[in-house]
Amino acid sequence: MSTSGSFKRIALIGFGLIGGSIARAARLQGLAGEIVTTARSEKTRARVKELGIVDSVVATNAEAVKDADLVILCIPVGACGAVAAEIGPHLKQGAIISDVGSVKGAVVREMAPHIPAGVHFVPAHPVAGTEHSGPDSGFAELFINRWCILTPPEGTSTEATEKLRAFWAGLGAKVEIMTPDHHDLVLAITSHLPHLIAYTIVGTADELAQVTESEVIKFSAGGFRDFTRIAASDPTMWRDVFLTNKEAVLEMLGTFTEDLSKLTRAIRRGDGEALFDHFTRTRAIRRGIVEIGQDSAAPDFGRPHAALKKQ
């Protein structure tokens, strides 16, 4: 197996923001000889055909994975197990099968039993996105300088893992490898909890807006607008994330609740020193994120399309 990162035939199961961005970037970078895809709805499949991004659009998952060297499930994590069971008998020997879900422990547990011997299972999570969805939402530059985390189960072929690493690097991503459980704990605080908070704040503001004649929405400042972008993310995907990573999310939510209680007490007691110290520490964290290049003027959500250079 070559570790160049290019594949003769790539199959994408699902064609929304991530699937569409993979197809566009892989085509631009010459990482796929042929790209075939399918999607659940006939309407989406018809739109993908109109866009002309891939070589073929087929009606079933089984047909899509036939003879594919790389299969990527670009679907909500809650559907991965059932789709793996469906396509398992049709996977080519030596193929690599992966996904793009932001929960990895559940994906490994639900997909692994359906992966036949001789097929390499390397789960992945590109930590990139926008609030948009659907076949028109993807763009080739989405993964540039963003992390893609690979979580190969124990015993996975090192060569297959390296080949997938090279593929994601070819799309512009920085690649890290970690265990599924460690991934889920890290993402619970860096991604899942912030989304939960955003959904909650926007919901609370909406209820308050009904009392204040929509002034909360009308006069929203930049911070609230950022929350609304996050809260506009795909509801099916995030429902599945919280259900499949609930242990890690609940652990982080408990820690967050404790910290929020400390701030509540500081405000109630007029403890300006405690508030200043907390805000100073969190400001330094923000600066650190900027310094390592993990932010831009509009990070991920609504991020402008950068120029993707030929590798």
Side-chain angles (χ1 to χ4, degrees):
M1 180 188 296
S2 169
T3 56
S4 66
S6 62
F7 294 86
K8 291 182 179 179
R9 181 181 172 99
I10 295 177
L12 301 172
I13 308 298
F15 203 89
L17 169 67
I18 301 298
S21 295
I22 291 173
R24 289 171 169 90
R27 176 71 74 221
L28 182 63
Q29 295 300 310
L31 296 175
E34 180 183 7
I35 302 176
V36 59
T37 190
T38 187
R40 185 174 58 179
S41 75
E42 184 178 348
K43 180 181 179 181
T44 299
R45 294 195 298 270
R47 178 55 184 156
V48 176
K49 288 181 181 178
E50 291 176 357
L51 291 171
I53 300 167
V54 301
D55 296 287
S56 60
V57 181
V58 297
T60 68
N61 296 331
E63 187 179 358
V65 304
K66 183 180 178 182
D67 296 324
D69 303 291
L70 173 63
V71 176
I72 304 179
L73 274 57
C74 306
I75 57 179
V77 293
C80 285
V83 171
E86 178 186 357
I87 65 176
H90 306 281
L91 293 171
K92 173 184 176 181
Q93 283 289 295
I96 296 173
I97 181 169
S98 189
D99 74 309
V100 297
S102 68
V103 177
K104 299 272 66 95
V107 164
V108 171
R109 289 191 298 272
E110 294 172 10
M111 287 185 63
H114 306 294
I115 308 301
V119 173
H120 308 292
F121 180 33
V122 188
H125 175 205
V127 187
T130 75
E131 74 273 27
H132 304 296
S133 59
D136 291 276
S137 62
F139 53 99
E141 304 86 358
L142 178 63
F143 310 112
I144 295 177
N145 292 327
R146 293 311 193 230
W147 286 103
C148 181
I149 302 172
L150 307 185
T151 62
E154 187 175 351
T156 300
S157 162
T158 300
E159 191 175 359
T161 301
E162 288 303 314
K163 186 170 178 62
L164 191 62
R165 179 204 285 269
F167 174 77
W168 278 106
L171 300 185
K174 298 183 290 185
V175 184
E176 184 78 24
I177 297 177
M178 61 180 67
T179 66
D181 289 343
H182 185 67
H183 166 278
D184 289 353
L185 188 63
V186 170
L187 269 294
I189 187 61
T190 61
S191 176
H192 304 167
L193 185 58
H195 276 81
L196 187 64
I197 293 169
Y199 280 120
T200 303
I201 289 177
V202 173
T204 301
D206 181 60
E207 293 175 4
L208 182 60
Q210 297 175 23
V211 178
T212 61
E213 298 180 353
S214 298
E215 288 179 341
V216 169
I217 304 299
K218 181 178 179 180
F219 298 114
S220 62
F224 184 74
R225 287 196 298 272
D226 287 341
F227 276 124
T228 61
R229 277 201 299 271
I230 297 173
S233 300
D234 180 57
T236 300
M237 179 184 75
W238 284 101
R239 175 202 64 193
D240 288 358
V241 165
F242 292 122
L243 291 178
T244 55
N245 197 31
K246 63 181 179 180
E247 289 82 8
V249 170
L250 288 172
E251 180 180 342
M252 293 300 104
L253 187 58
T255 301
F256 173 76
T257 301
E258 292 176 5
D259 291 342
L260 191 60
S261 295
K262 293 177 184 177
L263 288 176
T264 300
R265 289 194 296 271
I267 293 171
R268 182 177 292 118
R269 296 169 181 172
D271 190 346
E273 183 177 353
L275 293 172
F276 182 83
D277 289 345
H278 181 78
F279 299 154
T280 300
R281 180 168 61 88
T282 56
R283 185 186 189 190
I285 293 171
R286 165 63 183 176
R287 286 177 171 174
I289 292 173
V290 173
E291 288 173 0
I292 64 173
Q294 283 302 294
D295 194 14
S296 64
D300 281 346
F301 296 92
R303 183 160 63 95
H305 299 188
L308 181 59
K309 295 181 180 179
K310 192 79 173 179
Q311 299 295 319

